Amino acid sequence: MILKPNKNQASIMDTTMALPELMYLSPTTREKAVMIAQDLLRAGNISPKEAISKAVLIAKNWAVKNVNRRVWKKLKSNDKESI
């Protein structure tokens, strides 16, 4: 069975190849950054380079909060189990 990538997957891969700052992000964070950059470009007068830079920062902050929340929940559940 051969899977064909949809339009979003192809555009994300093309974007990743063109922008080195996206290469160092995890796939989920990279996808989030691309979506944020697209929204920024549609929303206002911002250059593509500025949109990518801002989107990478926003996506990194989102990823850190997401991981911290999961770790906090795990620690909290471990505390409840030990009590």
Side-chain angles (χ1 to χ4, degrees):
M1 178 178 188
I2 298 174
L3 298 175
K4 294 181 182 178
N6 63 26
K7 285 183 181 179
N8 290 340
Q9 288 174 336
S11 65
I12 290 172
M13 289 306 291
D14 294 341
T15 305
T16 304
M17 299 297 179
L19 300 167
E21 53 267 316
L22 292 177
M23 288 177 32
Y24 300 103
L25 301 175
S26 71
T28 306
T29 307
R30 183 181 313 126
E31 186 175 335
K32 182 89 169 168
V34 170
M35 290 185 333
I36 292 169
Q38 289 171 347
D39 289 343
L40 288 172
L41 288 171
R42 276 188 288 244
N45 295 332
I46 188 170
S47 73
K49 185 176 182 177
E50 289 174 348
I52 291 293
S53 296
K54 191 170 186 176
V56 166
L57 289 175
I58 292 169
K60 282 182 181 179
N61 287 336
W62 169 82
V64 168
K65 287 178 185 176
N66 201 20
V67 168
N68 286 343
R69 191 174 300 120
R70 274 191 246 143
V71 170
W72 181 81
K73 285 181 180 180
K74 182 70 175 170
L75 290 173
K76 189 172 180 179
S77 70
N78 287 344
D79 285 346
K80 284 183 181 179
E81 290 174 6
S82 66
I83 293 177

